[in-house]
Amino acid sequence: MLTPQPVDVQAIEAELTRIWTNMAESKKGSHVVLRACLLNLIVVAQNQQDADEATQVITRITEDHPCRAIVLFVDAEATDGHVDAWVTAHCQMPNEKSEQVCCEQIFVRVSGFQSTGIVAPLLVADLPVFVWWMGPLALGSPLSERLQSLADRWVFDGSTFDEWDPSILYRLSQSPSLAISDINWSRITPWREIIAQFFDPPHARSSLTQLSRVLIESEDSWQAWLMMGWLSSRLGWQSPKLNIQQTGTFTFHVQRAQDGDSSGHGDALQVTVTCSPSSKHGLTRLLLQTPCAQFEIERVAADAVSTRISIEGHEKLERNVMIRNLDLAQYICGELEILGHDKVFEEALRDSVNLFL
Amino acid sequence: MTFPQEEPIMTLSTNPLREGLRQHLTPEPCIMVIFGATGDLTRRKLVPALYHLALENLLPSGFSVLGFARRPWSHEHFREQMQEGVSQFSRNQPINPKVWESFSEGLFYLASSFDDADGYRNLREALEKIDRERDTNGNRVFYLATPPSAYAKIIAQIGQAGLAGTSSGRHGRGGWTRIIVEKPFGRDLVTAQELNRQLAEVFQEDQIYRIDHYLGKETVQNILVFRFANGIFEPLWNRRYIDHIQITASESIGVEGRGTYYEEAGTLRDMVQNHIFQLLSLVAMEPPAAFDATAVRDEKVKVLRAIRPISPDEVEEYTVRGQYDAGSISGRLLPRYREERGVSADSLTETFVALKLVIDNWRWAGVPFYLRSGKALPKRNTEIAIQFKSVPHMLFTNTATSRVEPNILALRIQPNEGISLKFSAKMPSPTVQMQSVNMDFGYGTSFGIDPPEAYERLLLDCMLGDSTLFTRRDEVETAWALLTSILEGWQLYPPQDFPNYEAGTWGPKAAHEWIARDGRRWRRL
Ligand SMILES: NC(=O)c1ccc[n+]([C@@H]2O[C@H](COP(=O)([O-])OP(=O)(O)OC[C@H]3O[C@@H](n4cnc5c(N)ncnc54)[C@H](OP(=O)(O)O)[C@@H]3O)[C@@H](O)[C@H]2O)c1
């Protein structure tokens, strides 16, 4: 990475062109410098720590996703009317013979008041716009409104929220022009894979329509609700009723969609969600039970779970499965690979909203 | 272990939890029976690939391997041996002890000779026992990882033991059987047909998976994606715009102790009949109507059928053979091929071949395909180069560079998988000076992930019942028909000048002169 150059916001484009020309000249005769750009990434940071982290993550992201990255540090302490901006280039040289691939980062520190007008002029035309909003969302704020109108995809991390309110997110997700994604949803994907795997064999699939009890345990409550929302939306559960609530434990009765009894009075299914907040891991255990079979996943280490299938109380098939823990940069890379709406996520969100209606 | 079914059951035709997940399906629990489980292929490729699938959680729970070979090993010893193999050859090091523990619980071994009927009775019992204990539900993949001479015996014994099963099992409720056959698949048309006949006596065609590991390579599959998912290239993909196509598969090693095998094979059998023909059919095929086993393979076979046969009398015109002499590659000394272990001192086996093929259809009429492959060449490199026609009228004639290089699109298969396009650009100067620039896209650098090993993809596809990336009966036989005629011609006209190229050079001089006669030259790689 080159040393960041302070610059007047209005001169950013000119400064970038100067950097590229310099680079091409200094490299004459050796490597070709390729200026590459596949997308615009706007990162909104609301404190110094996030802003630093954003810069680190961007350096890693550009290896796989050359982009124009704009870090917008909305600093409560910045004086109104004062905007600081820096530009810099990140370069990758995959191997001796290949060209050097470079892309650019713009860093802008600004007071909340002025933040709205900064981004639009800096976007590279005709490329998708991703917004990664770090920390709690401030939907409805002028900056947020403005970015929503520019963005194709909105990335956030539910685990950084203090309050859990899926209804706002669900509403946001219904915008036709904006798709949203939650890093916390990506964190439960390996669990969804394993659960889905239980029911891949056609003979095991019928168990899904016979579930009588489901247990979800998690150290991150957001993940627990997303998990329940996912199961509910995929399996067509209806009319959830919150029955018992002890601290951290919620028990619901829901109607299975495909109960044999079409009058809708079939056995309700009992779902218990236990959240014991701690920042350690997300989901810790999941159990799906029918009158004669049981499917279980339990976290045994930071990067491993054990899975068990038991039929009629015995004959257990047990095995260890790795859960790959990605770091933030890897999650963000994953998000940059999808453009459209994630229908499954949105439906999970919708069903988790319904839990508390 | 079976799932009891009470209540009126809604049978779900698909798994509703799969929607939106990247991985589409895990195979049904099954047992893979590896014939030749003590051999090199099993420890070097197959078990490491399976372990890796387990690591990625792509295998069903209950998945099991039953090794079958002569050595009197116990289950435990087999597990230890396989663990050693994985430690040595897996692309993920070190072994993950937790995953290995679960995976190895599913490894079993049965000692028997291939021709012993009792062995197959024991095999049946062992399979049934695993079915009961690990819920594998009668699903089996037989893998022939043995010397080809053993294929017929094993196939017949499987049939006699009543283990051949069917492709879909009992009314779609599990219990399918499939068989994977390793290369080489025959050594000419007659032997390939004979092997197909033996297989067909026992199995249906949709149970048979003829493996060609090239098709498992991500970059080979990318040829199709590149051609059919990008609108801009396909309109150019024909005789109007393409001058010719070169396919190269070079190796920088000699026969490395496998002289005995190579004496029987030669480059044409070892590389061209299978791998290079696969690449050829993928670049030359018409768009299939769907990406499924029937549509894709139908189109591939059509290409092979459209290749103009080379009669034995035409071999001198359409082929060049070579055999390497001593030489050095990157500072390593290589002995002359005829001095390798297991090779006869007057061997006529080719270690280099160049072929010119003509495809007689509307798309390719008049566009020659030059193929070359060989051992002891300067680099290991597999690529397909599409050379476009030069511009019809040269505007920039009074310039320093009045010769403009043609546009070349290169699809690199290995190493440094990627795609590059060469085009001309004006150098910044007051006069018109042109230079070729290369626009390059590397898979490794663009996606930053290790592509999976070819065997991983193929084993998984077979377990899922998807034979798109396996070779069909008519495909193998058509390829052999073309090459058998060349082999006959070579017999008729034995080479006079072997060895005719020095190890570490790009093949015999004749190969360069031969292509130069067409006014073209080999790409420098
Ligand atoms: N090795 C590779 O990397 C590679 C790559 C591509 C294709 N292939 C193909 O894969 C196949 C296997 O190759 P390989 O290198 O693994 O061969 P290998 O090392 O020679 O192994 C042969 C196996 O067959 C068993 N076997 C031979 N005759 C037997 C008999 N009569 N009864 C029972 N078992 C018998 C041997 O068991 P015992 O020793 O216990 O008797 C051994 O397990 C070949 O067709 C080869 O062309 C290999």
Side-chain angles (χ1 to χ4, degrees), chain B residues 148-153 155-156 159 185 191-203 208 473:
Chain B
S149 55
Y151 293 171
K153 261 189 286 215
I155 295 163
F185 196 94
T191 49
Q193 282 171 330
E194 175 62 12
L195 179 52
N196 274 330
R197 197 189 52 71
Q198 287 157 347
L199 279 164
E201 262 174 25
V202 176
F203 297 98
I208 306 169
R473 179 177 187 159

mmCIF file of all heavy atoms in Angstrom, chain B residues 148-153 155-156 159 185 191-203 208 473:
data_model
loop_
_atom_site.group_PDB
_atom_site.id
_atom_site.type_symbol
_atom_site.label_atom_id
_atom_site.label_comp_id
_atom_site.label_asym_id
_atom_site.label_seq_id
_atom_site.Cartn_x
_atom_site.Cartn_y
_atom_site.Cartn_z
ATOM 1 N N PRO B 148 -5.539 -52.742 -15.595
ATOM 2 C CA PRO B 148 -6.642 -52.967 -16.535
ATOM 3 C C PRO B 148 -6.880 -54.446 -16.826
ATOM 4 O O PRO B 148 -8.003 -54.843 -17.123
ATOM 5 C CB PRO B 148 -6.185 -52.248 -17.804
ATOM 6 C CG PRO B 148 -5.016 -51.439 -17.449
ATOM 7 C CD PRO B 148 -4.516 -51.828 -16.127
ATOM 8 N N SER B 149 -5.819 -55.246 -16.704
ATOM 9 C CA SER B 149 -5.978 -56.673 -16.989
ATOM 10 C C SER B 149 -6.958 -57.330 -16.021
ATOM 11 O O SER B 149 -7.474 -58.413 -16.275
ATOM 12 C CB SER B 149 -4.619 -57.360 -16.891
ATOM 13 O OG SER B 149 -4.064 -57.092 -15.622
ATOM 14 N N ALA B 150 -7.214 -56.677 -14.881
ATOM 15 C CA ALA B 150 -8.108 -57.291 -13.895
ATOM 16 C C ALA B 150 -9.572 -56.888 -14.096
ATOM 17 O O ALA B 150 -10.471 -57.490 -13.514
ATOM 18 C CB ALA B 150 -7.657 -56.902 -12.476
ATOM 19 N N TYR B 151 -9.823 -55.860 -14.940
ATOM 20 C CA TYR B 151 -11.191 -55.338 -15.069
ATOM 21 C C TYR B 151 -12.205 -56.442 -15.389
ATOM 22 O O TYR B 151 -13.233 -56.575 -14.734
ATOM 23 C CB TYR B 151 -11.289 -54.271 -16.171
ATOM 24 C CG TYR B 151 -10.544 -52.973 -15.907
ATOM 25 C CD1 TYR B 151 -10.405 -52.025 -16.917
ATOM 26 C CD2 TYR B 151 -9.990 -52.683 -14.668
ATOM 27 C CE1 TYR B 151 -9.731 -50.829 -16.710
ATOM 28 C CE2 TYR B 151 -9.309 -51.492 -14.456
ATOM 29 C CZ TYR B 151 -9.177 -50.573 -15.481
ATOM 30 O OH TYR B 151 -8.510 -49.392 -15.283
ATOM 31 N N ALA B 152 -11.894 -57.235 -16.424
ATOM 32 C CA ALA B 152 -12.858 -58.220 -16.911
ATOM 33 C C ALA B 152 -13.239 -59.204 -15.807
ATOM 34 O O ALA B 152 -14.420 -59.490 -15.587
ATOM 35 C CB ALA B 152 -12.283 -58.949 -18.112
ATOM 36 N N LYS B 153 -12.215 -59.677 -15.107
ATOM 37 C CA LYS B 153 -12.446 -60.636 -14.021
ATOM 38 C C LYS B 153 -13.398 -60.063 -12.988
ATOM 39 O O LYS B 153 -14.355 -60.703 -12.561
ATOM 40 C CB LYS B 153 -11.113 -60.880 -13.283
ATOM 41 C CG LYS B 153 -10.384 -62.126 -13.692
ATOM 42 C CD LYS B 153 -9.202 -62.364 -12.747
ATOM 43 C CE LYS B 153 -8.079 -61.390 -13.042
ATOM 44 N NZ LYS B 153 -6.730 -61.779 -12.910
ATOM 45 N N ILE B 155 -15.463 -57.503 -13.142
ATOM 46 C CA ILE B 155 -16.814 -57.224 -13.648
ATOM 47 C C ILE B 155 -17.631 -58.515 -13.678
ATOM 48 O O ILE B 155 -18.770 -58.569 -13.197
ATOM 49 C CB ILE B 155 -16.734 -56.591 -15.057
ATOM 50 C CG1 ILE B 155 -16.055 -55.221 -14.975
ATOM 51 C CG2 ILE B 155 -18.115 -56.472 -15.677
ATOM 52 C CD1 ILE B 155 -15.563 -54.684 -16.313
ATOM 53 N N ALA B 156 -17.013 -59.570 -14.217
ATOM 54 C CA ALA B 156 -17.742 -60.836 -14.316
ATOM 55 C C ALA B 156 -18.102 -61.365 -12.926
ATOM 56 O O ALA B 156 -19.226 -61.834 -12.686
ATOM 57 C CB ALA B 156 -16.899 -61.851 -15.075
ATOM 58 N N GLY B 159 -20.970 -59.624 -11.389
ATOM 59 C CA GLY B 159 -22.201 -60.117 -12.010
ATOM 60 C C GLY B 159 -22.611 -61.459 -11.424
ATOM 61 O O GLY B 159 -23.765 -61.647 -11.009
ATOM 62 N N PHE B 185 -8.855 -47.006 -20.768
ATOM 63 C CA PHE B 185 -10.043 -47.746 -21.158
ATOM 64 C C PHE B 185 -9.756 -48.395 -22.509
ATOM 65 O O PHE B 185 -10.013 -47.833 -23.563
ATOM 66 C CB PHE B 185 -11.248 -46.815 -21.239
ATOM 67 C CG PHE B 185 -12.548 -47.559 -21.247
ATOM 68 C CD1 PHE B 185 -13.240 -47.782 -20.061
ATOM 69 C CD2 PHE B 185 -13.066 -48.069 -22.425
ATOM 70 C CE1 PHE B 185 -14.424 -48.502 -20.053
ATOM 71 C CE2 PHE B 185 -14.254 -48.791 -22.422
ATOM 72 C CZ PHE B 185 -14.929 -49.006 -21.242
ATOM 73 N N THR B 191 -10.144 -53.570 -28.193
ATOM 74 C CA THR B 191 -10.127 -53.842 -26.752
ATOM 75 C C THR B 191 -11.116 -52.942 -26.006
ATOM 76 O O THR B 191 -11.710 -53.364 -25.018
ATOM 77 C CB THR B 191 -8.707 -53.650 -26.180
ATOM 78 O OG1 THR B 191 -8.207 -52.388 -26.637
ATOM 79 C CG2 THR B 191 -7.771 -54.762 -26.612
ATOM 80 N N ALA B 192 -11.296 -51.717 -26.478
ATOM 81 C CA ALA B 192 -12.268 -50.833 -25.835
ATOM 82 C C ALA B 192 -13.683 -51.378 -26.026
ATOM 83 O O ALA B 192 -14.497 -51.397 -25.105
ATOM 84 C CB ALA B 192 -12.165 -49.418 -26.385
ATOM 85 N N GLN B 193 -13.956 -51.851 -27.249
ATOM 86 C CA GLN B 193 -15.273 -52.431 -27.504
ATOM 87 C C GLN B 193 -15.490 -53.671 -26.646
ATOM 88 O O GLN B 193 -16.576 -53.902 -26.109
ATOM 89 C CB GLN B 193 -15.406 -52.804 -28.991
ATOM 90 C CG GLN B 193 -15.673 -51.597 -29.872
ATOM 91 C CD GLN B 193 -15.587 -51.925 -31.350
ATOM 92 O OE1 GLN B 193 -14.834 -52.815 -31.762
ATOM 93 N NE2 GLN B 193 -16.340 -51.192 -32.160
ATOM 94 N N GLU B 194 -14.431 -54.463 -26.515
ATOM 95 C CA GLU B 194 -14.529 -55.677 -25.718
ATOM 96 C C GLU B 194 -14.830 -55.323 -24.253
ATOM 97 O O GLU B 194 -15.697 -55.924 -23.620
ATOM 98 C CB GLU B 194 -13.200 -56.452 -25.844
ATOM 99 C CG GLU B 194 -13.069 -57.690 -24.976
ATOM 100 C CD GLU B 194 -14.115 -58.769 -25.284
ATOM 101 O OE1 GLU B 194 -14.794 -58.654 -26.328
ATOM 102 O OE2 GLU B 194 -14.270 -59.688 -24.459
ATOM 103 N N LEU B 195 -14.135 -54.331 -23.725
ATOM 104 C CA LEU B 195 -14.379 -53.927 -22.341
ATOM 105 C C LEU B 195 -15.804 -53.381 -22.192
ATOM 106 O O LEU B 195 -16.505 -53.685 -21.220
ATOM 107 C CB LEU B 195 -13.337 -52.878 -21.919
ATOM 108 C CG LEU B 195 -13.433 -52.315 -20.508
ATOM 109 C CD1 LEU B 195 -13.496 -53.426 -19.457
ATOM 110 C CD2 LEU B 195 -12.235 -51.413 -20.212
ATOM 111 N N ASN B 196 -16.240 -52.604 -23.158
ATOM 112 C CA ASN B 196 -17.619 -52.102 -23.104
ATOM 113 C C ASN B 196 -18.623 -53.246 -23.129
ATOM 114 O O ASN B 196 -19.645 -53.208 -22.448
ATOM 115 C CB ASN B 196 -17.886 -51.166 -24.291
ATOM 116 C CG ASN B 196 -17.449 -49.738 -23.982
ATOM 117 O OD1 ASN B 196 -17.489 -49.315 -22.822
ATOM 118 N ND2 ASN B 196 -17.034 -49.005 -24.995
ATOM 119 N N ARG B 197 -18.308 -54.274 -23.925
ATOM 120 C CA ARG B 197 -19.216 -55.415 -24.013
ATOM 121 C C ARG B 197 -19.270 -56.135 -22.650
ATOM 122 O O ARG B 197 -20.334 -56.473 -22.142
ATOM 123 C CB ARG B 197 -18.735 -56.363 -25.106
ATOM 124 C CG ARG B 197 -19.778 -57.373 -25.582
ATOM 125 C CD ARG B 197 -19.150 -58.421 -26.502
ATOM 126 N NE ARG B 197 -17.965 -59.067 -25.931
ATOM 127 C CZ ARG B 197 -17.988 -59.916 -24.928
ATOM 128 N NH1 ARG B 197 -19.114 -60.263 -24.362
ATOM 129 N NH2 ARG B 197 -16.854 -60.429 -24.459
ATOM 130 N N GLN B 198 -18.079 -56.336 -22.052
ATOM 131 C CA GLN B 198 -18.044 -57.000 -20.746
ATOM 132 C C GLN B 198 -18.835 -56.204 -19.715
ATOM 133 O O GLN B 198 -19.578 -56.763 -18.912
ATOM 134 C CB GLN B 198 -16.588 -57.167 -20.285
ATOM 135 C CG GLN B 198 -15.850 -58.233 -21.065
ATOM 136 C CD GLN B 198 -14.335 -58.039 -21.035
ATOM 137 O OE1 GLN B 198 -13.831 -56.992 -20.629
ATOM 138 N NE2 GLN B 198 -13.612 -59.048 -21.478
ATOM 139 N N LEU B 199 -18.660 -54.906 -19.750
ATOM 140 C CA LEU B 199 -19.404 -54.069 -18.795
ATOM 141 C C LEU B 199 -20.902 -54.186 -19.053
ATOM 142 O O LEU B 199 -21.704 -54.326 -18.125
ATOM 143 C CB LEU B 199 -18.983 -52.607 -18.940
ATOM 144 C CG LEU B 199 -17.691 -52.203 -18.230
ATOM 145 C CD1 LEU B 199 -17.178 -50.879 -18.761
ATOM 146 C CD2 LEU B 199 -17.913 -52.102 -16.710
ATOM 147 N N ALA B 200 -21.271 -54.131 -20.328
ATOM 148 C CA ALA B 200 -22.695 -54.126 -20.669
ATOM 149 C C ALA B 200 -23.366 -55.457 -20.336
ATOM 150 O O ALA B 200 -24.585 -55.522 -20.172
ATOM 151 C CB ALA B 200 -22.867 -53.804 -22.148
ATOM 152 N N GLU B 201 -22.589 -56.516 -20.250
ATOM 153 C CA GLU B 201 -23.177 -57.799 -19.865
ATOM 154 C C GLU B 201 -23.675 -57.770 -18.432
ATOM 155 O O GLU B 201 -24.587 -58.484 -18.057
ATOM 156 C CB GLU B 201 -22.137 -58.912 -20.011
ATOM 157 C CG GLU B 201 -22.297 -59.658 -21.310
ATOM 158 C CD GLU B 201 -21.179 -60.655 -21.530
ATOM 159 O OE1 GLU B 201 -20.577 -61.118 -20.531
ATOM 160 O OE2 GLU B 201 -20.914 -60.954 -22.705
ATOM 161 N N VAL B 202 -23.040 -56.960 -17.625
ATOM 162 C CA VAL B 202 -23.342 -56.968 -16.201
ATOM 163 C C VAL B 202 -24.082 -55.691 -15.755
ATOM 164 O O VAL B 202 -24.953 -55.737 -14.894
ATOM 165 C CB VAL B 202 -22.035 -57.149 -15.396
ATOM 166 C CG1 VAL B 202 -22.281 -57.070 -13.910
ATOM 167 C CG2 VAL B 202 -21.375 -58.475 -15.766
ATOM 168 N N PHE B 203 -23.720 -54.571 -16.363
ATOM 169 C CA PHE B 203 -24.304 -53.288 -15.941
ATOM 170 C C PHE B 203 -25.062 -52.621 -17.080
ATOM 171 O O PHE B 203 -24.782 -52.868 -18.249
ATOM 172 C CB PHE B 203 -23.204 -52.328 -15.479
ATOM 173 C CG PHE B 203 -22.444 -52.799 -14.283
ATOM 174 C CD1 PHE B 203 -21.215 -53.436 -14.426
ATOM 175 C CD2 PHE B 203 -22.957 -52.622 -13.000
ATOM 176 C CE1 PHE B 203 -20.510 -53.878 -13.311
ATOM 177 C CE2 PHE B 203 -22.252 -53.056 -11.885
ATOM 178 C CZ PHE B 203 -21.025 -53.694 -12.037
ATOM 179 N N ILE B 208 -22.561 -46.984 -15.498
ATOM 180 C CA ILE B 208 -21.126 -47.029 -15.784
ATOM 181 C C ILE B 208 -20.528 -45.625 -15.861
ATOM 182 O O ILE B 208 -21.023 -44.769 -16.604
ATOM 183 C CB ILE B 208 -20.858 -47.765 -17.115
ATOM 184 C CG1 ILE B 208 -21.513 -49.151 -17.066
ATOM 185 C CG2 ILE B 208 -19.372 -47.879 -17.389
ATOM 186 C CD1 ILE B 208 -21.555 -49.864 -18.407
ATOM 187 N N ARG B 473 -20.039 -44.486 -23.594
ATOM 188 C CA ARG B 473 -19.576 -45.586 -24.430
ATOM 189 C C ARG B 473 -19.246 -45.142 -25.861
ATOM 190 O O ARG B 473 -18.153 -45.406 -26.369
ATOM 191 C CB ARG B 473 -20.666 -46.660 -24.442
ATOM 192 C CG ARG B 473 -20.308 -47.837 -25.293
ATOM 193 C CD ARG B 473 -21.395 -48.905 -25.221
ATOM 194 N NE ARG B 473 -20.922 -50.093 -25.917
ATOM 195 C CZ ARG B 473 -21.401 -51.303 -25.716
ATOM 196 N NH1 ARG B 473 -22.355 -51.497 -24.833
ATOM 197 N NH2 ARG B 473 -20.920 -52.331 -26.382
#
